[in-house]
Amino acid sequence: MDTHHTPRRLLLASLLPGMWLAGCASAPPVAEKFVDVPAGTVFEYHRKSSGSYGQYDDRVIWKNRDAVWQGQPAIFSESPQAGIQVYELQSKGMVATLTGQGKPVLSYAPPISYRWPMKVGDQWTTEHQITVHATGKVLALKVHYSIESYQPVTVPAGTFNTYKVVMTDSSGEVQQVWVAPADSVNTVMRILDRPATHPQGAGHLEGVLMSRKLPPKQ
């Protein structure tokens, strides 16, 4: 019997099952698309912000409805606290922000959106033109996206399987967003930061989904 190599053989034998299991661990799933949000869905968030995001520590309500924007089908997400966000129907990308009375504030060309399918490890950069409607000024914006992880996240509204998306734009703002495409939740949780060099100054914002109410089934 070769006793000289027995400890080494035992060590290898103990490591192999773990190595095999690690190699067979399932890869994070690929999200082919963002599942449509039923019209009439109401999302309630708790938002806490400071600095250039404004002093706020309270709830924000968003209600989705089907609408038309510049002659094209769109989704309006309306909030008494934060105005209206307009999303393109196909890509779910943000097209514009409006006041609560429907007056354009900002518009984006092309829309600011995620890239589908979505999977962990993806990275890409997009370029946009932002129109500031109060002044007519057009600004250039570059956004870099990184899909960092896939993980369950528990918030007061429940537990969702989320992709963590980190967006860094050319103004220096960094957004960390946990999105659940299969559950039609664009934001389960988010953290936003602006540096002191940002055109609007330093700021910090945190948001978390408190509840989601689906419309009654027809």
Side-chain angles (χ1 to χ4, degrees):
M1 181 176 180
D2 183 0
T3 57
H4 179 71
H5 294 289
T6 297
R8 183 179 178 185
R9 287 172 179 168
L10 289 173
L11 176 61
L12 288 172
S14 66
L15 288 175
L16 284 172
M19 293 169 63
W20 182 83
L21 288 172
C24 294
S26 58
V30 175
E32 297 295 335
K33 65 176 183 177
F34 187 89
V35 177
D36 291 341
V37 180
T41 301
V42 178
F43 298 90
E44 178 182 348
Y45 291 87
H46 182 265
R47 167 178 166 162
K48 185 175 183 179
S49 60
S50 59
S52 59
Y53 293 108
Q55 292 294 138
Y56 195 85
D57 189 357
D58 206 342
R59 67 177 187 165
V60 178
I61 306 294
W62 295 95
K63 183 175 182 178
N64 282 41
R65 68 177 176 89
D66 295 331
V68 175
W69 171 254
Q70 297 184 341
Q72 298 296 320
I75 303 164
F76 275 24
S77 189
E78 300 176 314
S79 168
Q81 299 83 18
I84 302 171
Q85 296 179 344
V86 183
Y87 295 91
E88 188 180 57
L89 193 60
Q90 294 303 317
S91 70
K92 307 300 186 292
M94 184 182 289
V95 179
T97 60
L98 318 176
T99 66
Q101 294 71 43
K103 183 178 180 180
V105 178
L106 302 172
S107 57
Y108 308 93
I112 295 180
S113 67
Y114 298 131
R115 188 176 69 181
W116 305 98
M118 178 185 288
K119 66 180 186 297
V120 174
D122 279 354
Q123 294 190 39
W124 70 94
T125 301
T126 57
E127 296 184 9
H128 308 269
Q129 298 293 317
I130 303 176
T131 299
V132 183
H133 289 270
T135 62
K137 191 173 182 180
V138 178
L139 307 173
L141 183 72
K142 185 179 291 187
V143 184
H144 178 74
Y145 295 79
S146 177
I147 312 301
E148 293 202 343
S149 63
Y150 176 80
Q151 63 194 102
V153 170
T154 299
V155 295
T159 299
F160 301 88
N161 290 321
T162 69
Y163 295 83
K164 181 184 177 182
V165 185
V166 178
M167 294 170 281
T168 305
D169 68 32
S170 50
S171 70
E173 182 178 70
V174 178
Q175 299 190 42
Q176 301 177 69
V177 182
W178 286 260
V179 54
D183 292 312
S184 308
V185 182
N186 194 50
T187 305
V188 174
M189 187 169 65
R190 66 174 180 161
I191 301 172
L192 280 64
D193 284 290
R194 288 172 178 161
T197 53
H198 190 278
Q200 293 174 263
H204 180 78
L205 182 151
E206 296 181 10
V208 62
L209 182 62
M210 303 300 291
S211 68
R212 176 184 57 161
K213 296 180 181 178
L214 298 173
K217 291 185 178 180
Q218 300 297 324

